[in-house]
Amino acid sequence: MDQEEFYYSEQLMKMFRVGTTPKLMQVLEDAGIGYLIDGDKKPFVFRSVIRDLLQNNSGGNYENIRKQVHNIER
């Protein structure tokens, strides 16, 4: 595996418009997105998981997934 196969916490925070690791983990869990934890206890996600989610639920548009996740009650 190489690093380009994953979205790391910093990228995910920007993608889902959150500012803290606990909030990011909650958003991922609420959205049903499985994640792994790195040595710093920060989540990271296979790019394929996000790609599949976009293709199956959002028409392949990152803005749609941001809106979907952003609308989850926090």
Side-chain angles (χ1 to χ4, degrees), residues 4-32:
E4 292 181 15
E5 292 183 53
F6 302 101
Y7 284 114
Y8 292 93
S9 62
E10 294 79 16
Q11 295 166 304
L12 293 166
M13 283 185 199
K14 288 178 184 176
M15 185 182 301
F16 295 119
R17 299 180 182 151
V18 297
T20 67
T21 298
K23 179 68 86 177
L24 174 60
M25 293 168 75
Q26 185 63 49
V27 167
L28 292 172
E29 290 170 11
D30 290 349

Side-chain angles (χ1 to χ4, degrees), residues 14 20 45 52 55-56 70:
K14 288 178 184 176
T20 67
V45 176
D52 291 347
Q55 289 174 349
N56 293 332
H70 193 67

Side-chain angles (χ1 to χ4, degrees), residues 16-61:
F16 295 119
R17 299 180 182 151
V18 297
T20 67
T21 298
K23 179 68 86 177
L24 174 60
M25 293 168 75
Q26 185 63 49
V27 167
L28 292 172
E29 290 170 11
D30 290 349
I33 298 171
Y35 59 88
L36 302 167
I37 302 293
D38 68 14
D40 294 325
K41 299 188 184 327
K42 294 183 179 185
F44 62 102
V45 176
F46 280 98
R47 286 180 181 266
S48 61
V49 169
I50 300 294
R51 183 183 61 242
D52 291 347
L53 183 66
L54 289 169
Q55 289 174 349
N56 293 332
N57 297 324
S58 305
N61 184 323

